[in-house]
Amino acid sequence: KKMPLEDYRQDIERCLRCSYCKHVPYLPLARIDRKFRTVCPSIEKFNFHSWSAGGRLNIAFSLLLKRIEYSPKLINIVYQCQMCGACDISCKNQMDLEVLEALHELRVKCVEDGQFPSVFTSMIEGLRMENNMMQRPKMERGKWAEGLDVKKLPEEEAQVLFHTGCRFSFDKELWPVLKNTIMLLEEAGIDVGILGVDEPCCGGRPYELGFQDDFVKCMTVNITSWKKAGVKKIVTPCSDCYAAFKAWYSRYGHREFEIIHTTEYLSQLIENKKIKFTKEIPLVITYHDPCHLGRLSEPYLYSSPSKPYITSPKKVLGTMLIYDPPKPWRKGAKGIYEAPRNILRNIPGVKFVEMHRIREYSWCCGAGGGVKEAYPDFALWTAKQRILEAKSVGAEAIVTACCWCERNFKDAVKEMDEKIDIYDIVELVQMAMGV
């Protein structure tokens, strides 16, 4: 299933430098404040074409043709990108190019050539030794569950596996979200269990960094552990894990497990009256769509089991290609958008307001693609832009459903004069239940 950069040469060559990859496209533009019409943090921050998707496609093409060589600045341009996919979604409204796929394979090529930020070396070594991307001892992974009466798989049997993810497992400030989620599921009668210290990394981070072999190993270990535990349903509170399981694994043909994000489960429980709210939360709240829960979580589809996702075009009309059979595009609209909004609208006392860039055109929190680790100042700058957008619509709190978003927003708020609260959606549910 490896698809080298050369496979995306037609997409790279067809880029018209139209700049659609930089902005929210067409109709939504009329309703958006001029300050919030860009979708790409990279081009907005560095303000030079090379830092846009079109510019990076130029770089990829030049590397393919051996017209340029690696340099520290080239590596910075390639990796000063959250891989949030907003450029890809905007481009597909105009050109239907596989922008994100090409950018991913550009990173794979960089890794194969040994060209990437040095901080990633210790991260990947930590993954190989301790099975997590947080450079923490593996034996600490299950500490968040101490004191909880929750089943341990595979020693015990359960119908549902709760997969926490690396960030949640090792960020102690976020542990209450995990504990509260387990309690909510158990109180609703869900037969749930965890892998604890034996939980593997989902592989999403190495995938985005370009370490494809490490991703495949993580994927194989996870699927093996799920089969050993005898589960068919995986629930995760981590948007990165959700995208890895739902999208990246499907890219390699794995669709045999039902992958559910906690917001989907909680929304179902609220609709079925298994969760009841007893307390008003008098807050003006806005919701931040995590990239991995939204546009990036759409699974890869195949026209038939024997047909790969990449199909050869039969005809070329100008710059447009015709695929036969038709190619199943991923355009971001089928991500998880309604479930979290349904939860918030059911919480008494909440005044829910939308930001300008939402759903598949959401502005990234800044933490993805290795940016928080390699370029922390850029990560915080990106989060601050989102916080200012939330303030512009009168929000008193930002609610999200991603541990990486929550962490980056919390870190950014500490450096700002703005006063705004940051919540995981599970925290708000617990508050509204009077817990």
Side-chain angles (χ1 to χ4, degrees):
K1 292 294 193 304
K2 285 189 175 183
M3 298 172 186
L5 187 59
E6 180 66 37
D7 288 351
Y8 296 95
R9 180 164 177 163
Q10 283 186 312
D11 290 277
I12 294 170
E13 290 177 331
R14 289 168 55 227
C15 177
L16 298 177
R17 318 291 178 254
C18 66
S19 289
Y20 255 68
C21 58
K22 304 172 185 176
H23 306 99
V24 178
Y26 69 102
L27 288 179
L29 214 60
R31 302 189 297 272
I32 294 179
D33 188 301
R34 292 182 67 88
K35 293 182 291 186
F36 306 114
R37 290 186 177 181
T38 53
V39 294
C40 173
S42 187
I43 188 65
E44 181 74 358
K45 168 67 174 172
F46 299 103
N47 198 31
F48 196 80
H49 184 68
S50 293
W51 276 267
S52 70
R56 291 187 176 99
L57 292 182
N58 265 341
I59 290 172
F61 197 36
S62 296
L63 285 173
L64 278 176
L65 298 179
K66 300 187 183 333
R67 289 178 175 175
I68 59 173
E69 296 180 353
Y70 289 106
S71 69
K73 174 158 278 192
L74 186 149
I75 297 305
N76 284 339
I77 293 171
V78 171
Y79 282 94
Q80 283 171 334
C81 165
Q82 284 88 357
M83 298 294 282
C84 75
C87 59
D88 183 78
I89 302 305
S90 291
C91 175
K92 283 174 179 170
N93 277 282
Q94 174 74 2
M95 287 293 295
D96 270 337
L97 302 185
E98 290 291 3
V99 176
L100 187 62
E101 298 294 325
L103 296 184
H104 172 253
E105 295 304 330
L106 172 59
R107 288 190 169 194
V108 171
K109 176 173 173 54
C110 287
V111 168
E112 289 174 347
D113 293 341
Q115 303 289 334
F116 50 85
S118 58
V119 67
F120 297 159
T121 300
S122 57
M123 290 170 59
I124 295 299
E125 286 177 354
L127 172 67
R128 293 167 183 171
M129 293 178 62
E130 301 292 346
N131 207 6
N132 70 81
M133 292 294 286
M134 303 295 291
Q135 300 180 61
R136 299 287 295 276
K138 176 183 177 181
M139 297 307 296
E140 295 181 4
R141 191 173 186 106
K143 289 186 70 175
W144 67 269
E146 289 180 356
L148 285 180
D149 183 18
V150 60
K151 290 181 178 179
K152 174 67 168 64
L153 305 177
E155 290 85 357
E156 300 176 86
E157 293 183 359
Q159 293 180 347
V160 175
L161 169 63
F162 183 72
H163 182 100
T164 60
C166 297
R167 165 59 69 179
F168 263 134
S169 293
F170 295 104
D171 193 331
K172 194 171 183 179
E173 188 180 354
L174 305 182
W175 285 1
V177 174
L178 302 180
K179 292 176 179 287
N180 291 338
T181 304
I182 287 291
M183 288 189 286
L184 283 170
L185 295 176
E186 289 183 335
E187 288 172 10
I190 307 299
D191 183 21
V192 63
I194 63 173
L195 290 172
V197 70
D198 296 320
E199 180 185 275
C201 173
C202 70
R205 290 268 148 170
Y207 178 86
E208 290 184 345
L209 299 183
F211 291 85
Q212 192 156 281
D213 291 339
D214 290 280
F215 162 73
V216 171
K217 182 178 179 181
C218 289
M219 177 179 65
T220 303
V221 170
N222 270 287
I223 290 174
T224 300
S225 67
W226 297 348
K227 289 179 178 178
K228 185 177 179 182
V231 294
K232 284 290 185 181
K233 186 178 293 187
I234 318 298
V235 178
T236 180
C238 176
S239 294
D240 282 45
C241 294
Y242 181 81
F245 299 155
K246 191 87 171 183
W248 313 148
Y249 286 20
S250 73
R251 188 179 192 256
Y252 284 73
H254 291 290
R255 300 174 196 80
E256 62 267 48
F257 298 92
E258 183 181 2
I259 311 299
I260 303 176
H261 190 264
T262 51
T263 55
E264 295 179 279
Y265 233 141
L266 293 178
S267 181
Q268 292 173 13
L269 294 174
I270 291 170
E271 289 181 4
N272 295 333
K273 310 298 182 185
K274 292 188 176 182
I275 289 180
K276 297 180 180 179
F277 298 129
T278 60
K279 184 179 178 181
E280 288 195 357
I281 309 296
L283 275 176
V284 181
I285 286 173
T286 192
Y287 175 70
H288 167 74
D289 286 291
C291 306
H292 290 85
L293 188 60
R295 55 179 167 254
L296 293 179
S297 71
E298 208 171 292
Y300 288 77
L301 301 174
Y302 296 78
S303 53
S304 71
S306 62
K307 293 287 183 181
Y309 181 68
I310 300 297
T311 59
S312 299
K314 292 295 182 71
K315 298 178 182 178
V316 179
L317 299 174
T319 59
M320 304 305 292
L321 305 181
I322 294 179
Y323 292 87
D324 187 17
K327 180 176 177 178
W329 297 96
R330 297 171 68 246
K331 297 191 177 183
K334 297 179 181 178
I336 305 302
Y337 302 117
E338 287 305 320
R341 287 172 170 81
N342 180 52
I343 294 170
L344 294 175
R345 291 185 179 117
N346 274 280
I347 295 177
V350 162
K351 181 182 178 182
F352 179 60
V353 294
E354 291 277 21
M355 284 187 273
H356 299 283
R357 294 169 288 194
I358 61 173
R359 299 179 182 264
E360 63 263 44
Y361 302 114
S362 175
W363 178 265
C364 178
C365 78
V371 170
K372 189 163 182 62
E373 295 84 359
Y375 309 99
D377 291 344
F378 176 36
L380 291 179
W381 177 88
T382 306
K384 290 173 184 177
Q385 305 310 302
R386 190 60 158 167
I387 291 167
L388 292 174
E389 184 177 352
K391 294 289 288 187
S392 76
V393 297
E396 298 170 325
I398 297 176
V399 176
T400 189
C402 171
C403 50
W404 289 92
C405 296
E406 183 177 359
R407 168 48 56 211
N408 209 39
F409 285 144
K410 286 179 181 290
D411 292 346
V413 166
K414 292 175 184 176
E415 295 189 0
M416 301 176 72
D417 294 330
E418 304 291 341
K419 178 174 173 53
I420 193 165
D421 294 321
I422 311 296
Y423 293 108
D424 185 281
I425 199 166
V426 171
E427 295 176 283
L428 232 60
V429 169
Q430 287 287 92
M431 290 164 60
M433 292 176 66
V435 179

